[in-house]
Amino acid sequence: DHDYRTDVLSFLLGFDGRRLDGEIIVSADYAADEAARYGWSAADELLLYAVHGALHLVGHDDTT
C-alpha cells in the first residue's frame, strides 16, 4: 500500500499447517545504498533483508 522504494517484499503463497511456501524479493540497489550509509557490506544488508522477509512470511509485521 505504498508507492516508494522498499528493501524487501514477501509473499505467502501457501501454508498447509506443516509446510510454508513463499517468495522473498530483495532490492540489491537499495541494499547497496543502505550498506554505504551504515558502513557495512551490501551482502550483509541483503542478508538482513532476507531475514526480514522470512519473518514476514511467518507472521511478523513491522508494527509489532
Side-chain angles (χ1 to χ4, degrees):
D1 243 358
H2 58 78
D3 188 21
Y4 52 87
R5 260 175 73 165
T6 192
D7 51 359
V8 61
L9 298 170
S10 57
F11 301 95
L12 181 60
L13 301 175
F15 180 62
D16 66 7
R18 199 176 105 254
R19 236 179 154 160
L20 181 138
D21 186 17
E23 185 171 3
I24 299 170
I25 302 168
V26 296
S27 171
D29 292 336
Y30 195 90
D33 292 346
E34 290 296 292
R37 181 175 158 204
Y38 291 110
W40 54 60
S41 74
D44 287 343
E45 189 74 9
L46 283 170
L47 178 59
L48 177 68
Y49 298 170
V51 170
H52 184 164
L55 288 170
H56 280 301
L57 288 178
V58 298
H60 294 277
D61 66 41
D62 293 329
T63 58
T64 60

